């Protein structure tokens, strides 16, 4: 009997709730069967659009949601009781779910009719995406309260999507993906305060969100190992006897890390091959799939680009025979051997994490972050040395110009800068229209409930109905819990492989340092709300290995904080990393005020790079610049030139 197709999604949202609603309805009309909502960084980090840290970030990487009015606009004319909605939201997951439930109630839809997923995986935020707000133990409390609430009130909802996707994006090996994600799930389940007889219902609602890379045979083995290990954990650790409740239910976004700016048309075959890794195994097939667009290493995809990705998975599901057969790997000696090897290595790593006290303790100690930073450093070094081939990047670079990037847009979507202004106007109008007395009363109830240890969801839903904003909800919890800065993972010394090139670079750093009169010193900074810190971490590690003294203070810094730190530390150069598209809003101010050279790296179109250079930025690096050693060497020469050193 043929298997059912997985849920077709595209991860999308931008500019405003109104613009995103048009995009969602358009995608659904093209055959998409579920929604995957991308929120902008202010929403993901619990700020309203008028907060100073939100400047330049509103509507850039997702849709801004400040209140129930925005949520109602986002889902206008979309039947929530017939829709499966995935929301990539973590630190303020309770708030966005409260807004979703309250919006449904305004439309007369019962809570038990809602289906979908809140990502709600805070552990991976400390390790990769960086959109955490509160300390780990407090965040785990919010996570488990969402689970405890939904298991009764919203029974068709997946309250948490344990996310190994972002771990691979920051360099995790398959064994690290499996072991870190399962250890994380065990920490969540161990915190649940429901009676033991409710555990099967809870276990059965835990879902996962995985990555799938270009080594698709390895990916096939990875998801099969995941499936077997999750089944064993359910049976042996939590006593879940019903096999259906122990199924490894997972969605997938295939690998974005491997998409290239060079020869971007090559990304289409990469995406197709990566989709095979999670669809070929009937016994370990994904339940939902979203494919990135071919141009995501260059900027935001246009609706046509997203349609192309949607058509890839529709062709795979509807034209091929992939859904018509039993599990085609059953009995394969090679697959079984590789799966068994992954399982054995992953169980050992899980045991190591459990001996530390579990995933949360391993986050707080910095162990998990260091493991990922080191894995990514090895990956980057392998690409740089040519040991790992990336066609069009470090091999076979010569090719014809891509017609896909021709035209005024350069093949990407540019967010209208008026989107931020429109959101500010909507926010102010909303605040003026609501009852301040209702808002104050609802926030007081939220504060009292949280301080008394009660579940955060009921008072949050009341806040949503009262017109409380995202920033007001998060600030109330910030006042109770405080904020957190996670370990950066670059504190431990990491010696990269020796080579003539590295030795030559170290000698040059010594020469320049001698003429400067002290060790050449650089500050690596992450301005704004972008928490994707992998690029900044790799620059910091490689620069330190080359002999530079490096200052790296982690994510989410204002221009003032970066400039003050640069002055106090006496650095010779500032290196900035921004992947959120807010480079034109944040970088020029720093370049104008700094009295030392500034370089910047990120997803930056050439038109914007020219503007940054005109503002005084010494160098601009994009995903096309894969050679970290060359970048460090150029930074050294920029300092030398600025100081009159030959």
């Amino acid at each position: 009997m043929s298997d059912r197709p997985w849920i077709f999604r595209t991860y999308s949202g931008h500019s405003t709730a109104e613009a995103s609603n048009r995009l969602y309805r358009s995608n659904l009309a093209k055959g998409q069967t579920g929604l995957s909502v991308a929120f902008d960084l202010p929403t993901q980090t619990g700020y309203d659009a008028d907060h100073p840290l939100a400047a330049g970030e509103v509507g850039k990487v997702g849709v801004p949601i400040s209140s129930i009015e925005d949520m109602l606009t986002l889902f206008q004319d979309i039947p929530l009781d017939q829709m499966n909605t995935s929301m990539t939201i973590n630190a303020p997951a309770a708030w966005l779910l409260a807004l979703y439930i309250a919006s449904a109630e305004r439309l007369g839809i019962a809570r038990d009719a809602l289906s979908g997923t809140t990502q709600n995986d805070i552990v991976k935020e400390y390790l990769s995406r960086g959109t955490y707000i509160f300390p780990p133990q407090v965040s785990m409390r919010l996570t488990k309260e969402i689970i405890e609430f939904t298991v009764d009130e919203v029974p068709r909802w997946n309250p948490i999507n344990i996310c190994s996707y972002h771990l691979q994006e920051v360099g995790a090996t398959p064994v690290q993906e499996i072991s870190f994600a399962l250890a994380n799930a065990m920490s969540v389940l161990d915190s649940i305060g429901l009676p033991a007889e409710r555990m099967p219902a809870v276990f059965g609602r835990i879902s996962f969100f995985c990555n799938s890379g270009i080594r698709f045979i390895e990916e096939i083995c990875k998801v099969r190992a995941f499936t077997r290990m999750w089944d064993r954990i359910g049976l042996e650790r939590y006593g879940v006897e019903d096999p259906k409740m122990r199924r490894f239910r997972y969605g997938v976004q295939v690998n974005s890390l491997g998409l290239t700016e060079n020869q971007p048309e090559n990304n289409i075959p990469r995406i197709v091959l990566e989709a095979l890794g999670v669809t070929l195994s009937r016994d370990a097939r994904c339940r939902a799939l979203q494919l990135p667009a071919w141009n995501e290493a260059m900027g935001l995809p246009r609706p046509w680009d997203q349609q192309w990705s949607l058509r890839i998975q529709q062709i795979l599901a509807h034209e091929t025979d992939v859904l018509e057969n039993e599990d085609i790997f059953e009995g394969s000696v090679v697959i079984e051997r590789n799966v068994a090897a992954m399982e054995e290595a992953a169980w050992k790593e899980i045991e190591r994490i459990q001996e530390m006290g579990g995933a949360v303790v391993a986050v707080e100690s910095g162990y998990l972050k260091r493991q990922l930073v080191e894995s990514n450093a090895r990956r980057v070094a392998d690409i740089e040395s040519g040991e790992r081939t990336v066609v069009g990047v470090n091999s076979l670079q010569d090719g014809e110009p891509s017609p896909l990037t021709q035209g005024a847009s350069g093949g990407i979507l540019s967010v209208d800068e008026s989107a931020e202004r429109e959101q500010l106007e909507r926010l102010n109008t909303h605040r003026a229209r609501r009852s301040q007395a209702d808002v104050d009363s609802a926030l007081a109830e939220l504060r009292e409930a949280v301080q008394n240890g009660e579940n955060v969801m009921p008072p949050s839903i009341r806040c949503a109905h009262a017109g409380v904003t995202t920033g007001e909800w998060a600030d109330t919890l910030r006042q109770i819990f405080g904020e957190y800065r996670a370990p950066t993972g670059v504190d431990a010394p990491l010696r990269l492989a020796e080579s003539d090139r590295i030795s030559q670079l170290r000698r040059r750093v010594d020469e320049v340092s001698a003429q400067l009169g002290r060790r050449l010193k650089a500050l690596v900074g992450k301005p704004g709300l972008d928490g994707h810190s992998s690029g900044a971490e790799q620059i910091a590690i490689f620069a330190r290995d080359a002999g530079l003294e490096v200052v790296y203070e982690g994510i989410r810094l204002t221009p003032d904080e970066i400039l003050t730190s640069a002055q106090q530390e006496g650095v010779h150069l500032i290196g900035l990393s921004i992947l959120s598209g807010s480079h034109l809003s944040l970088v020029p101010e720093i370049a104008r005020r700094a009295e030392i050279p500034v370089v910047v790296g990120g997803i930056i179109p050439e038109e914007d790079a020219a503007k940054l250079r005109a503002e005084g930025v010494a160098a601009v690096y994009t995903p096309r610049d894969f050679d970290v050693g060359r970048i460090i060497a150029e930074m050294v020469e920029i300092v030398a030139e600025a100081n009159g050193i030959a």
Side-chain angles (χ1 to χ4, degrees):
M1 187 175 72
S2 294
D3 199 9
R4 289 185 304 171
W6 51 87
I7 296 172
F8 303 147
R9 288 187 174 126
T10 53
Y11 179 56
S12 54
H14 66 84
S15 302
T16 64
E18 187 176 11
S20 298
N21 172 263
R22 285 197 297 272
L23 177 63
Y24 294 166
R25 288 188 285 115
S26 171
N27 285 343
L28 291 169
K30 294 169 185 168
Q32 185 174 299
T33 54
L35 293 175
S36 179
V37 181
F39 296 101
D40 73 353
L41 287 172
T43 303
Q44 291 185 49
T45 49
Y47 292 112
D48 285 331
D50 56 355
H51 190 281
L53 271 172
E57 304 276 17
V58 178
K60 283 282 169 53
V61 300
V63 57
I65 298 294
S66 294
S67 70
I68 190 170
E69 290 188 9
D70 288 338
M71 197 62 119
L72 286 165
T73 301
L74 184 65
F75 293 107
Q76 185 173 354
D77 297 328
I78 296 174
L80 296 185
D81 53 348
Q82 300 171 37
M83 186 51 53
N84 190 301
T85 304
S86 173
M87 296 195 287
T88 300
I89 195 72
N90 294 283
W95 174 241
L96 272 299
L97 179 57
L99 287 173
Y100 193 79
I101 291 171
S103 298
E105 290 175 343
R106 290 272 183 98
L107 299 169
I109 298 171
R111 297 175 182 179
D112 62 6
L114 300 176
S115 63
T117 304
T118 37
Q119 196 164 80
N120 193 25
D121 175 7
I122 199 64
V123 166
K124 71 97 175 43
E125 293 299 319
Y126 300 117
L127 301 177
S128 54
R129 286 180 81 241
T131 63
Y132 54 82
I133 303 174
F134 312 115
Q137 299 290 351
V138 169
S139 297
M140 289 297 278
R141 169 189 161 180
L142 296 176
T143 293
K144 70 128 181 167
E145 288 181 358
I146 295 172
I147 296 171
E148 291 172 353
F149 176 82
T150 54
V151 73
D152 288 323
E153 295 285 329
V154 200
R156 296 171 59 199
W157 195 265
N158 298 320
I160 185 170
N161 213 11
I162 301 287
C163 190
S164 74
Y165 170 84
H166 295 94
L167 303 184
Q168 185 180 118
E169 291 291 294
V170 295
T173 65
V175 168
Q176 287 174 330
E177 271 192 75
I178 296 169
S179 56
F180 292 5
L182 293 181
N184 180 11
M186 289 158 66
S187 290
V188 171
L189 286 165
D190 289 349
S191 73
I192 299 297
L194 294 174
E197 62 268 23
R198 303 301 314 279
M199 184 53 75
V202 173
F203 195 90
R205 296 313 309 174
I206 304 293
S207 61
F208 290 78
F209 188 66
C210 299
N211 205 326
S212 183
I214 192 67
R215 292 169 57 84
F216 71 96
I217 304 298
E218 190 173 68
E219 297 296 345
I220 289 168
C221 297
K222 182 187 76 180
V223 293
R224 293 174 79 88
F226 252 132
T227 300
R228 292 189 346 196
M229 293 176 72
W230 184 240
D231 181 82
R232 181 176 161 189
I233 289 169
L235 181 64
E236 297 181 2
R237 187 179 178 92
Y238 298 104
V240 179
E241 296 183 353
D242 184 350
K244 292 181 180 177
M245 305 303 276
R246 302 198 305 267
R247 284 178 182 164
F248 182 71
R249 300 180 310 115
Y250 73 101
V252 171
Q253 161 103 359
V254 308
N255 186 270
S256 293
L257 179 68
L259 301 182
T260 65
E261 184 183 2
N262 307 50
Q263 302 179 17
E265 63 278 3
N266 295 344
N267 293 328
I268 287 297
R270 290 189 179 107
I271 291 167
V272 172
L273 292 170
E274 289 163 355
L276 294 180
V278 291
T279 55
L280 286 181
S281 291
R282 178 160 182 161
D283 289 350
R285 183 169 291 145
C286 64
R287 297 297 185 93
L289 180 61
Q290 52 193 49
L291 301 180
W294 66 277
N295 52 357
E296 290 193 12
M298 301 160 52
L300 275 177
R302 302 158 298 186
W304 180 84
D305 306 314
Q306 291 198 329
Q307 174 185 299
W308 197 0
S309 291
L310 176 62
R311 293 294 185 246
I312 289 172
Q313 54 174 317
Q314 289 170 330
I315 290 168
L316 181 59
H318 297 316
E319 291 191 22
T320 78
D321 54 358
V322 71
L323 294 173
E324 296 175 8
N325 294 286
E326 300 301 315
D327 193 292
I328 60 175
F329 300 110
E330 187 175 346
S332 166
V333 175
V334 174
I335 293 292
E336 176 56 32
R337 184 179 62 227
N338 290 344
V339 171
M342 274 191 198
E343 276 193 78
E344 182 180 0
W347 282 123
K348 287 180 180 175
E349 184 61 47
I350 288 173
E351 187 177 344
R352 192 174 299 120
I353 295 169
Q354 292 300 100
E355 288 173 353
M356 292 178 193
V360 175
V361 176
V363 166
E364 293 173 325
S365 71
Y367 170 77
L368 296 181
K369 182 70 174 179
R370 280 195 300 277
Q371 299 300 307
L372 294 172
V373 170
E374 291 179 11
S375 292
N376 204 26
R378 285 190 286 273
R379 184 189 69 84
V380 172
D382 286 348
I383 293 173
E384 192 171 307
S385 68
E387 187 169 331
R388 178 182 296 209
T389 298
V390 184
V391 173
V393 175
N394 66 356
S395 170
L396 306 169
Q397 292 108 325
D398 293 336
E400 300 295 330
S402 173
L404 292 174
T405 59
Q406 304 304 308
S409 70
I412 58 172
L413 175 71
S414 296
V415 174
D416 188 342
E417 294 299 325
S418 66
E420 182 163 341
R421 187 175 63 251
E422 290 176 20
Q423 183 61 18
L424 289 169
E425 291 171 356
R426 283 175 61 89
L427 179 62
N428 290 330
T429 301
H430 169 74
R431 284 177 178 153
R433 197 158 45 203
R434 66 187 183 176
S435 164
Q436 191 59 47
D438 284 350
V439 168
D440 293 343
S441 173
L443 287 173
E445 184 179 310
L446 172 68
R447 185 178 297 106
E448 182 179 359
V450 171
Q451 288 176 327
N452 290 336
E454 298 171 19
N455 192 296
V456 71
M457 286 304 302
S460 295
I461 295 170
R462 196 201 153 188
C463 283
H465 280 296
V468 167
T469 67
T470 297
E472 291 165 342
W473 180 90
D475 282 348
T476 300
L477 269 61
R478 282 187 177 96
Q479 291 164 12
I480 299 170
F481 297 138
E483 290 190 77
Y484 183 72
R485 291 193 73 79
T488 64
V490 303
D491 50 335
L494 177 65
R495 194 70 171 176
L496 301 173
E498 297 294 334
S499 68
D500 292 342
R501 190 167 175 240
I502 293 275
S503 299
Q504 185 178 356
L505 177 56
R506 288 177 185 144
R507 283 196 297 275
R508 180 58 178 159
V509 172
D510 289 342
E511 290 171 3
V512 173
S513 297
Q515 295 194 54
L516 287 169
R518 60 189 174 91
R519 180 57 49 183
L520 197 163
K521 193 171 185 179
L523 181 147
V524 179
K526 288 284 299 176
L529 294 175
D530 172 34
H532 293 86
S533 57
S534 179
E537 290 157 2
Q538 295 308 308
I539 290 291
I541 286 175
F542 278 72
R544 187 174 294 159
D545 185 61
L548 279 76
E549 189 175 345
V550 177
V551 178
Y552 176 59
E553 297 173 335
I555 62 172
R556 217 177 296 168
L557 299 172
T558 65
D560 280 344
E561 288 171 327
I562 289 173
L563 288 163
T564 299
S565 180
Q567 186 177 32
Q568 292 174 344
E569 295 283 351
V571 301
H572 301 100
L573 175 141
I574 297 174
L576 303 174
S577 169
I578 303 178
L579 278 77
S580 65
S582 58
H583 41 267
L584 290 180
S585 302
L586 296 169
V587 175
E589 179 188 352
I590 297 174
R592 282 194 297 270
R593 293 171 57 192
E595 296 178 352
I596 53 177
V598 173
V599 302
V600 61
I603 299 175
I604 302 174
E606 179 48 39
E607 181 183 354
D608 291 358
K611 292 177 182 175
L612 292 173
R613 286 190 284 268
E615 292 280 357
V617 173
V620 178
Y621 300 102
T622 72
R624 189 183 295 272
D625 302 296
F626 71 93
D627 188 340
V628 180
R630 178 179 64 80
I631 293 173
I632 303 300
E634 290 180 2
M635 288 167 56
V636 173
E637 295 309 320
I638 287 170
V639 171
E641 183 179 349
N643 288 274
I645 297 171

